[in-house]
């Protein structure tokens, strides 16, 4: 494995860093307080090619690698986890699913608009009563001639209300039966498809999380992704790649919290010296820096395997599990280093602290990651 960053990766990282500092930093708390989903930011990211990072140029994307994708999400998330989360969900889930499993007509129809952010993407697997238990989902798609009729509710969906196009996994067989689900593309505006309740969340408040409701929603069989019954298998493959993006999101949040705490520790004086001189603080910073390096190496390993087309289920799960957990640990320590100021919204670390927790839950909880890892190592 060779992890020296290429010139293009360095340039892409700098572009993302500059964008975050110029267009996100000054408004992030306004969006957080109001829970505004700033669509215009994603349109601007689309103009930079960051909404179609992995999409081939033939379909209007930038055709970059997972290494560039990793640094883009990290740099955006160092400033605002909400924007990083939405960026990751759009690229890895909806766009990634169509890119991986769509036929040529579907790719030609959807990828160019998703890659430029003319359309924002959503992806629906989770339901109110079936999170990790996806084999028992209640949302169904019933064949009716050349059409499918979808009924049910998806919950915790990023861009569930504002997304222009959604990939939805529906049950097409009996509950818990093998190969009992199928993936479909559903356009916003299709009769019977609507957005539902918007969640009032602890963190990631500028990343829209809503229900998607299907009530006698009729779509053509042309909107089916892949074979009938392959939906769950497709979803698991998409989540393999998605875990890398959530790991990058986690690492970005961890870096943001660490860098803020490091700077503050040099500026804050107690007993006539900067608090970074005290071992209690310097040792915290040492632990934070070490955990960041470990997470970075795990993510780079997963990216390397992904780009080589090699199996990476274990490695992506390890990266996601470790990076998300250390994001929580590092942001917690950052608040502690700031002391009372860290508990206020006038300083950045309280937001990193709130945002970090979602990383241990979304796209598979830490417990599910350990289940995936244990199964892989016990094969």
């Amino acid at each position: 494995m060779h992890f020296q960053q290429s010139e293009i990766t360095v340039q892409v990282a700098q572009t993302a860093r500059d964008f975050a500092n110029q267009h996100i930093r000054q408004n992030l708390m306004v969006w957080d307080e109001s829970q505004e989903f700033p669509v215009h930011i994603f349109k601007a990211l689309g103009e930079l090619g960051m909404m179609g990072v992995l999409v081939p140029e033939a379909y209007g994307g930038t055709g970059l690698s997972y290494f560039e994708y990793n640094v883009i999400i990290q740099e955006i998330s160092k400033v605002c986890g909400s924007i990083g989360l939405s960026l990751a969900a759009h690229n890895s889930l909806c766009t990634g699913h169509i890119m991986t499993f769509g036929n040529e007509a579907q790719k030609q129809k959807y990828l160019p608009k998703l890659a430029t952010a003319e359309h924002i993407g959503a992806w629906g697997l989770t339901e109110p009563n079936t999170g990790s238990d996806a084999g028992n989902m209640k949302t169904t798609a019933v064949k009716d001639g050349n059409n499918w009729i979808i009924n049910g509710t998806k919950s915790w969906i990023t861009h569930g209300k504002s997304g222009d196009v959604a990939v939805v996994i529906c049950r097409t067989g009996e509950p818990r039966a093998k190969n009992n689900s199928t993936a479909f593309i559903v356009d916003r505006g299709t009769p019977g498809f609507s957005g539902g309740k918007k969640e009032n969340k602890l963190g990631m408040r500028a990343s829209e999380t809503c229900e998607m409701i299907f009530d006698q929603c009729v779509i053509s069989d042309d909107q089916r992704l892949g074979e009938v019954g392959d939906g769950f298998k497709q979803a698991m493959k998409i989540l393999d790649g998605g875990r890398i993006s959530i790991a990058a999101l986690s690492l970005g949040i961890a870096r943001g919290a660490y860098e803020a705490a490091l700077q503050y520790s040099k500026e804050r004086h107690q007993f006539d010296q900067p608090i970074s001189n005290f071992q209690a603080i310097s040792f915290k910073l040492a632990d934070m820096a070490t955990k960041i390096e470990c997470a970075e190496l795990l993510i780079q390993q997963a990216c390397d395997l992904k780009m080589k087309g090699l199996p990476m289920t274990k490695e992506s799960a390890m990266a996601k599990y470790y990076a998300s957990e250390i994001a929580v640990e590092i942001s917690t320590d950052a608040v502690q280093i700031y002391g009372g100021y860290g508990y206020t919204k006038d300083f950045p670390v309280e937001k990193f602290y709130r945002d970090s927790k979602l990383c241990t839950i979304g796209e598979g909880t830490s417990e599910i990651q350990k289940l995936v890892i244990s199964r892989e190592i016990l094969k």
Side-chain angles (χ1 to χ4, degrees), residues 20 25 32 48-49 68 82 98 105 107 112 117 136 143 171 207 235 239 265 280 287-288 294 309 323-324 327 345 363:
R25 189 176 295 278
D32 184 79
L48 291 174
E68 286 79 51
S82 293
I98 295 172
K107 291 178 183 179
N136 196 33
K143 191 78 183 294
R171 183 164 56 79
S207 177
L239 287 173
S265 74
D287 282 339
M288 294 158 85
C294 292
S324 64
K345 292 182 182 293
E363 292 195 35

Side-chain angles (χ1 to χ4, degrees), residues 50 80 104 122 135 155 300 310 331 338 359-360 363 370 377:
M50 294 184 184
C80 180
E104 187 59 27
S155 60
Q300 292 281 5
L310 297 173
S331 59
Y338 268 78
C359 298
T360 69
E363 292 195 35
K370 288 193 274 190
I377 63 178

Side-chain angles (χ1 to χ4, degrees), residues 179-297:
N179 303 324
N180 72 342
S181 63
T182 305
F184 301 90
I185 307 171
V186 187
D187 293 296
R188 184 70 61 183
T190 303
F193 173 32
S194 61
K197 175 190 174 187
K198 180 177 179 179
E199 302 298 339
N200 184 10
K201 299 174 296 184
L202 169 71
M204 302 291 197
R205 288 163 64 83
S207 177
E208 180 186 273
T209 305
C210 295
E211 291 178 325
M212 294 195 301
I213 299 171
F214 300 89
D215 182 10
Q216 294 295 110
C217 179
V218 180
I219 60 169
S220 167
D221 189 56
D222 293 339
Q223 300 297 100
R224 173 170 48 83
L225 280 160
E227 298 302 318
V228 174
D230 282 352
F232 185 72
K233 285 189 257 185
Q234 291 178 13
M236 293 304 99
K237 184 173 178 62
I238 294 304
L239 287 173
D240 268 354
R243 287 177 185 129
I244 296 176
S245 67
I246 300 301
L249 167 67
S250 305
L251 183 54
I253 291 171
R255 284 191 191 280
Y258 163 72
E259 290 176 8
L262 179 65
Q263 185 63 33
Y264 182 80
S265 74
K266 296 175 182 177
E267 296 171 351
R268 171 71 166 171
H269 282 66
Q270 292 285 276
F271 305 100
D272 303 317
Q273 58 185 310
I275 63 171
S276 58
N277 284 0
F278 299 116
Q279 192 177 78
I281 302 299
S282 64
F283 277 19
K284 275 189 191 298
L285 293 167
D287 282 339
M288 294 158 85
T290 302
K291 290 170 183 175
I292 283 170
E293 291 294 323
C294 292
E296 177 68 39
L297 288 170

Side-chain angles (χ1 to χ4, degrees), residues 49-164:
M50 294 184 184
M51 296 293 274
V53 183
L54 304 169
V55 176
E57 292 182 36
Y59 299 108
T62 47
L64 297 174
S65 76
Y66 261 81
F67 294 106
E68 286 79 51
Y69 183 37
N70 167 34
V71 297
I72 287 169
I73 294 177
Q74 277 194 55
E75 292 296 339
I76 298 294
S77 303
K78 275 171 62 176
V79 175
C80 180
S82 293
I83 307 302
L85 173 61
S86 279
L87 182 67
H90 173 92
N91 274 283
S92 289
L93 300 181
C94 179
T95 305
H97 201 136
I98 295 172
M99 185 173 69
T100 305
F101 295 106
N103 58 39
E104 187 59 27
Q106 291 166 338
K107 291 178 183 179
Q108 292 284 357
K109 180 179 179 181
Y110 289 104
L111 291 182
K113 291 183 178 181
L114 288 165
T116 58
E118 180 180 345
H119 282 174
I120 302 293
W123 191 79
L125 177 65
T126 305
E127 298 183 359
N129 295 309
T130 55
S132 301
D133 184 17
N136 196 33
M137 68 178 68
K138 301 296 188 292
T139 299
T140 59
V142 177
K143 191 78 183 294
D144 181 26
N146 195 45
N147 294 325
W148 293 86
I149 303 173
I150 303 177
N151 283 288
T153 300
K154 295 293 182 179
S155 60
W156 304 103
I157 308 304
T158 306
H159 316 146
K161 186 173 289 186
S162 295
D164 301 285

